[in-house]
Amino acid sequence: MYFQKKRCIAMLLAGGQGSRLKILTENTAKPAVPFGGKYRIIDFPLSNCVNSGIDTVGILTQYQPLELNEYIGNGQPWGLNKSHCCAQVLPPYARSKKSEWYKGTANAIYQNIPFIERFDPDNVLILSGDHIYRMDYAAMLTHHEKAGADCTIAVRTVPMEEASRFGIMNTNPDGSIYEFEEKPPKPKSNNASMGIYIFRWSVLKKFLTEDEADPTSENDFGKNVIPALLNSGHKLWAYDFEGYWKDVGTIDSLWEANMDLLGTAPNFDIRSADKKISARNYALPSTYVAKQAKTVDSLIAEGGVIQGSVKHSVISNGCAIGEGAQVEDSVLMPGVTVEPGAIIRHAIIGEGTRICKGAIIGGAFGLGERKKISVVGKNETIEANAVVAPGEVR
């Protein structure tokens, strides 16, 4: 088979277990978790690739891959099924005697060197599948090439008091990186790595091979490969990103990112026609909103029935909210049913779950009080008049 040479291909790391999302990722890979009413988390990096002119994407899966594999399919929703385009799911290789799981982010790319070599790319873009953002990778690629960099790392400015939570890139005035510090107790700068890298492929291949041969390595980009490039004198460059970006790896951050869609975050409108976020969605009728229903400051997707009260919430495809039910400051994932009289506040409700009559999920919290987001998992049933306390996971 003929494969066209590429200026840049993307490798999307989508195999994480997502343990901090608790019950929401018990049977679902983190990148397949629903977001924003009619999307999945993985829609964002996939759409960013297409919008940036990167039409070849290897998607590295591992944990609970079935739903994610079915969702991606042949890449058609993102326009990655055309001639010389590709959205290829890449599970860990099954070798002659055993199947070897990916040991780390660098090992995951190392195992897929044969896939990358098919396209003989000049550059390889490494992405994570658990971030919500819109970004023009083409601008980053141009920056990378103009600088003559061997590796370019996307960075964003974080408050100095929070910098110790991140991998920090210390840079010269021209943007070149002279030092990388992984979660330093006393950071020298607040240039936080976003985990988005562009490598010159010839350089990356060499360092992946050397890293794999090192029995002491953790096979990780941040801990091993990038420090090795710096120590060997290769040119590393920072690329400043100023738009919206959120790691949705925790319950709180997933809830906050959904709430940001309701207008609290500047420059974050996923419904914009410009550089749109695409998703695999099936044709659904418009949501029916009854006359007695009340909807305030909410995002309500298609295919549902709203008869109760919805305030400052994200309601996904195919949800039904009964008469007298109240949903406030919450996220309902696809196919949730809320029966009459049930109350949901500050909660995330998993796909296909039924909240029966009179049940109470979560509650309010005072100004300055730590958020306590209640979570109900996928395909659960909360019995009539049951109570799920603030912060409880059921």
Side-chain angles (χ1 to χ4, degrees):
M1 183 180 294
Y2 169 70
F3 295 96
Q4 187 181 58
K5 177 177 173 58
K6 300 289 184 179
R7 176 188 176 199
C8 183
I9 71 168
M11 299 293 281
L12 175 52
L13 298 163
Q17 184 172 351
S19 57
R20 293 179 299 165
L21 287 177
K22 302 176 182 176
I23 202 165
L24 296 176
T25 50
E26 204 167 70
N27 299 298
T28 302
K30 181 164 56 171
V33 169
F35 177 83
K38 60 179 182 179
Y39 303 94
R40 307 264 165 176
I41 295 171
I42 199 170
D43 289 328
F44 289 81
L46 280 177
S47 296
N48 287 338
C49 284
V50 173
N51 292 337
S52 304
I54 295 173
D55 59 11
T56 301
V57 186
I59 302 157
L60 286 67
T61 62
Q62 181 159 277
Y63 172 79
Q64 295 287 359
L66 180 60
E67 187 174 356
L68 187 58
N69 293 354
E70 290 177 343
Y71 185 74
I72 293 167
N74 67 352
Q76 181 272 330
W78 305 273
L80 290 170
N81 64 328
K82 301 171 185 175
S83 176
H84 299 303
C85 297
C86 172
Q88 179 72 52
V89 173
L90 301 168
Y93 276 17
R95 304 185 186 276
S96 57
K97 293 186 179 179
K98 64 178 182 177
S99 177
E100 183 177 346
W101 276 46
Y102 295 139
K103 294 180 290 185
T105 53
N107 173 259
I109 304 301
Y110 172 82
Q111 285 199 37
N112 288 285
I113 286 176
F115 171 80
I116 297 172
E117 293 279 71
R118 288 178 171 185
F119 304 96
D120 187 25
D122 298 320
N123 304 285
V124 175
L125 169 67
I126 308 294
L127 302 169
S128 295
D130 53 2
H131 300 152
I132 300 295
Y133 65 112
R134 295 169 71 167
M135 183 174 179
D136 183 1
Y137 303 139
M140 181 177 174
L141 179 58
T142 298
H143 179 86
H144 168 77
E145 291 174 332
K146 283 185 176 180
D150 297 307
C151 173
T152 298
I153 300 170
V155 299
R156 59 191 296 267
T157 302
V158 298
M160 201 66 190
E161 60 271 18
E162 296 180 16
S164 60
R165 296 172 40 224
F166 297 89
I168 295 298
M169 301 292 163
N170 296 318
T171 60
N172 296 307
D174 63 356
S176 59
I177 299 169
Y178 68 84
E179 184 181 32
F180 170 70
E181 296 180 287
E182 179 66 26
K183 298 181 179 178
K186 295 182 178 180
K188 299 173 186 174
S189 76
N190 55 352
N191 294 322
S193 169
M194 296 169 63
I196 299 170
Y197 317 118
I198 297 178
F199 290 93
R200 191 192 308 270
W201 172 234
S202 58
V203 173
L204 177 59
K205 182 180 178 182
K206 174 180 180 290
F207 276 82
L208 288 176
T209 304
E210 292 176 358
D211 182 72
E212 187 65 22
D214 180 0
T216 66
S217 176
E218 295 181 53
N219 306 123
D220 184 83
F221 277 106
K223 295 177 182 177
N224 305 110
V225 174
I226 290 171
L229 261 74
L230 270 174
N231 292 337
S232 63
H234 280 75
K235 291 182 67 175
L236 278 75
W237 225 264
Y239 177 76
D240 293 320
F241 177 73
E242 297 180 354
Y244 180 92
W245 179 89
K246 201 168 191 78
D247 181 338
V248 287
T250 67
I251 293 297
D252 281 358
S253 63
L254 179 62
W255 179 84
E256 288 166 0
N258 274 279
M259 295 300 105
D260 285 345
L261 291 173
L262 304 177
T264 57
N267 304 319
F268 186 44
D269 181 7
I270 59 176
R271 293 160 287 186
S272 170
D274 179 47
K275 303 290 185 182
K276 68 176 289 191
I277 304 299
S278 299
R280 183 179 293 282
N281 281 309
Y282 301 99
L284 294 170
S286 299
T287 289
Y288 169 74
V289 180
K291 288 184 178 180
Q292 76 275 10
K294 295 181 180 179
T295 61
V296 179
D297 190 23
S298 295
L299 190 159
I300 300 174
E302 294 81 9
V305 176
I306 310 296
Q307 295 176 296
S309 170
V310 179
K311 182 179 179 182
H312 199 258
S313 294
V314 175
I315 310 299
S316 300
N317 289 333
C319 290
I321 299 173
E323 191 169 353
Q326 300 176 43
V327 179
E328 185 174 341
D329 295 309
S330 294
V331 179
L332 271 55
M333 291 182 173
V336 169
T337 298
V338 183
E339 293 188 353
I343 298 174
I344 301 172
R345 290 195 178 100
H346 297 104
I348 300 175
I349 311 298
E351 292 180 79
T353 284
R354 178 176 292 271
I355 310 299
C356 294
K357 293 181 179 181
I360 299 175
I361 313 295
F365 49 83
L367 186 64
E369 185 181 352
R370 189 182 72 83
K371 293 185 295 293
K372 295 180 180 179
I373 306 303
S374 305
V375 183
V376 180
K378 187 176 182 178
N379 296 324
E380 296 288 337
T381 298
I382 301 300
E383 301 294 339
N385 302 312
V387 175
V388 176
E392 184 178 350
V393 177
R394 180 75 68 86

